Amino acid sequence: IDGRTVVTGPNGEVEVPAGRGEHTVVVSRHGGGPEVLVRERVTRVTVAGLRHTVEIPLVPAGTISGRVTLRDGAAAPALVQGVRLVATGRLGRREAVTDESGRYSFGLLPAGRYTIELDVDTLAPDSTIEGEGSKQLDLSMGRAEAVDFTVRRATARERFTPQGNGGGGARMQVRRAAN
């Protein structure tokens, strides 16, 4: 409050001496604890009497996480690591990149409709997405949802067809060299 840092007690309350007049309260998450979103980060308060109560509503945050896996189950971290996923929803556009196990996560999300899209341009050159590269879901308050994608080794034809533009780009033909 007014540039001073205070931390709430276990019950979420704090008393701060403040004189009469207008004050600014900035709320941010501190330390561990439940994953919550602050609905309103900056509040202006006018203190007229000896005591004024300010309530800052918090809502449980949601999480969307998942995994990009290889269809045939082979251990091929190069095919699932470093794949970019894009979540579009109430907070705009957010990006995540898969780790060596193909896992990714979008945390601290408010409830709402989200589209999760796998960026095919970040797949390894010898792999392709199997099925849809974009999935939609409705995230409920405080829930964790999983969205998984499967990739597979590309065929020779798929390796030479650009993936990022729906395959409508230039195609290369592969021919055996004459002996």
Side-chain angles (χ1 to χ4, degrees), residues 67-68 78-88 93-98 102 104 106 115-125 127-135 147-151 162-166:
R67 192 164 179 203
V68 176
L79 296 181
V80 296
Q81 182 176 6
V83 177
R84 181 175 45 233
L85 293 111
V86 177
T88 308
R93 177 186 163 101
R94 293 179 61 187
E95 295 183 3
V97 177
T98 58
Y104 73 92
F106 298 101
T115 300
I116 309 300
E117 184 175 1
L118 185 142
D119 183 352
V120 295
D121 291 334
T122 61
L123 289 174
S127 65
T128 189
I129 184 81
E130 183 171 274
E132 294 297 315
S134 178
K135 300 179 181 182
V147 177
D148 296 329
F149 294 91
T150 304
V151 297
Q163 297 178 31
N165 60 7

Side-chain angles (χ1 to χ4, degrees), residues 13-89:
E13 294 180 1
V14 64
E15 270 195 40
V16 179
R20 292 176 188 241
E22 189 169 295
H23 301 278
T24 302
V25 178
V26 179
V27 179
S28 62
R29 190 171 172 275
H30 175 75
E35 296 294 323
V36 295
L37 293 172
V38 178
R39 225 182 238 167
E40 193 172 332
R41 297 192 74 101
V42 178
T43 303
R44 298 213 188 293
V45 179
T46 302
V47 178
L50 297 174
R51 179 176 283 234
H52 189 81
T53 301
V54 177
E55 293 185 14
I56 309 286
L58 304 177
V59 295
T63 301
I64 299 173
S65 60
R67 192 164 179 203
V68 176
T69 56
L70 192 58
R71 178 181 68 175
D72 62 12
L79 296 181
V80 296
Q81 182 176 6
V83 177
R84 181 175 45 233
L85 293 111
V86 177
T88 308

